[in-house]
Structures are given as structure tokens and as C-alpha cells.
Amino acid sequence: MRRVTEQAILPRYRNLAEGEVQDKGGNDPVTIADKESEALLREGLAAIDSSLAFVGEEAAHADPGILERLDRPCWIVDPIDGTRNFAAGQPPFGVIVARADGGEARSGWIYDCLSGRFCVAHMGKGASIDGQDVTSRPTGATPPVAAISLVFMDEARREATKRHVAPNYALVDVPYCAAEQYPRLALGTNDVSIFERTLAWDHAAGVLWLNEAGGMAARPDGSPYRVDEHGRTGLIGAASPSLWEELAGLYSKLD
């Protein structure tokens, strides 16, 4: 992930030429760096274990049938998470890789391209940052601090969230980057977060990492996040199970 960052991503940072940024639709940009990064990651991960299927964000955009691979042993890759930020020449952005089996993430890696922060988790073995074990901690603020992504909600749900959820929290801006949002939930920066769109390359590694750190990430009804539920929306992340329960109760009023 570090090598790909150095070879394909950072040389393009604040150095994208005209025509090297495209819109996939819905204000969802892709750059030449995303495509080059994914190609290099695919090559490198195949060298580690070629028996796993490959599910990359850009490959799946070109061929949605690739999503069917998520129910088997696979690599899941977001070649640049936070492309909107990257294309605008601002942080944060990162690279996310997960290894999944049976619809569940078994390992996850989140690399911050600018700081070099490296978050790692393996199911049942805890979470770490730069090789040091990490335990999730709330901010301790009253009211709790919430980063709520409204971008992919429809208008009715967006307004309901503003009425029923937002008044109970101190709201902060979302980073438009899951590679940054999940660490914020464990490191005492944010207490809770709501994600409407829950694509596997954005969330597989982060959900595993936060849960292994002692926080909680799950579907609003309490069911585990699965990478193979690629049409399902709604996900809550929190610095602690109690903070998760509080937000889940409020979220239930949106239905």
C-alpha cells in the first residue's frame, strides 16, 4: 500500500492534468491515480494470494457483476478512498484493503497516504495503529460528537435525521473519507457516525478495525455488517457500544 501510494498516488496529488478527473455520476469522481493504484494493488495482492477473487471499486464500476465475488474469499480494494478530496488537492485520502471470506471481513488495512498512519485489524486479534495496539475511546464530550453523512440520503431521510438525530449531538463536518472517519471514532475525535451508503470497499476494513478496537459498527438494527449485502444501506459506527445503542435508538425513529 505504501509502494502504490508512492508510485501512483502522490505523484498525481495536486498535479492532475485536464482530462485526468472524470465523474462516475452523482458527484462521484475518479482520477487516473485511482485506476493506476487499483491496477498496482491487484498485481501486488495477487502475488500475496492469487487464490482470492479481486473486488476493486473501479473494476466493479466498470462491471457490476464483479460484486458477486463478495460472497467468496476475496480481496476488497478502494484504491483511493476520499477521491473527492484528492481531486481537489486536499486531505484526507487513503488506501483501503480488506480480506473477506463468507461475506465477512477477516482482515483490514487502512493507509493514510499523507501521514503514513497504518491501521490494521484481524478478526479476533484486535486492532493496531502503526504496530501499536489501540483501544477505542469516546471524546468524553457532552453532548457526544457526531459526524453524520447526509450526502447519500434521500430528502425525506435527510430531513428526518436533522429533526430526530442531529439535535442530540454536537455536529462536526464529515471528512468524505472512510479511511479517516473510522480512526476518528476510535481516537477520541468523534463519538458516533452515520453512513447511508455502505459499499464494501469503503467499510469492510473500517468496520472490522473499529469493532476489534472495542468500538462498535453495525447495521442500525444491530445486525453485523456483511460485505456481500451490496444493495443494503445504513450503518452506524461509534466509539463504544453504549454510544452505538443511544444512536441506534434515535435512528429507529427515522423509519
Side-chain angles (χ1 to χ4, degrees):
M1 293 167 80
R2 181 181 298 112
R3 177 176 64 84
V4 170
T5 295
E6 292 171 351
Q7 291 184 6
I9 299 175
L10 293 184
R12 305 279 189 177
Y13 183 46
R14 297 176 177 170
N15 192 36
L16 289 165
E18 185 176 353
E20 291 182 340
V21 182
Q22 299 172 325
D23 187 356
K24 293 189 289 186
N27 194 25
D28 189 10
V30 61
T31 74
I32 188 173
D34 293 81
K35 297 176 181 179
E36 291 178 352
S37 173
E38 184 162 302
L40 288 172
L41 287 163
R42 182 170 190 163
E43 177 184 335
L45 293 170
I48 294 171
D49 189 342
S50 61
S51 72
L52 302 186
F54 183 86
V55 181
E57 177 179 5
E58 305 315 327
H61 176 72
D63 177 9
I66 285 174
L67 295 173
E68 299 304 319
R69 300 174 182 175
L70 289 168
D71 62 359
R72 68 185 81 158
C74 62
W75 296 112
I76 304 171
V77 170
D78 192 337
I80 301 181
D81 180 65
T83 298
R84 180 189 302 193
N85 298 332
F86 175 79
Q90 63 189 34
F93 54 90
V95 178
I96 304 177
V97 175
R99 180 182 63 84
D101 193 355
E104 295 182 296
R106 304 303 176 97
S107 296
W109 301 266
I110 305 172
Y111 184 72
D112 185 297
C113 296
L114 293 177
S115 72
R117 180 186 63 203
F118 193 39
C119 300
V120 178
H122 303 288
M123 184 179 286
K125 297 184 178 179
S128 67
I129 295 180
D130 299 332
Q132 300 296 312
D133 292 344
V134 61
T135 300
S136 182
R137 62 179 188 274
T139 67
T142 303
V145 178
I148 301 174
S149 178
L150 302 173
V151 177
F152 298 106
M153 293 182 181
D154 61 36
E155 186 60 29
R157 180 163 288 268
R158 187 178 297 122
E159 292 305 313
T161 300
K162 291 177 181 178
R163 289 196 307 272
H164 297 298
V165 177
N168 298 278
Y169 296 95
L171 300 182
V172 294
D173 291 338
V174 297
Y176 298 104
C177 176
E180 173 63 19
Q181 186 58 62
Y182 280 103
R184 288 185 183 185
L185 287 168
L187 296 177
T189 303
N190 295 166
D191 289 303
V192 295
S193 191
I194 295 175
F195 308 94
E196 183 72 1
R197 191 172 74 165
T198 62
L199 300 171
W201 41 81
D202 288 328
H203 296 284
V207 166
L208 176 65
W209 183 83
L210 183 59
N211 284 329
E212 288 292 325
M216 183 170 177
R219 296 295 187 179
D221 64 0
S223 60
Y225 174 81
R226 293 180 56 85
V227 303
D228 54 359
E229 296 178 324
H230 41 81
R232 191 172 177 183
T233 60
L235 179 64
I236 294 174
S240 70
S242 61
L243 284 164
W244 188 96
E245 293 285 353
E246 180 182 350
L247 178 52
L250 295 168
Y251 188 96
S252 67
K253 298 178 181 179
L254 303 183
D255 297 321

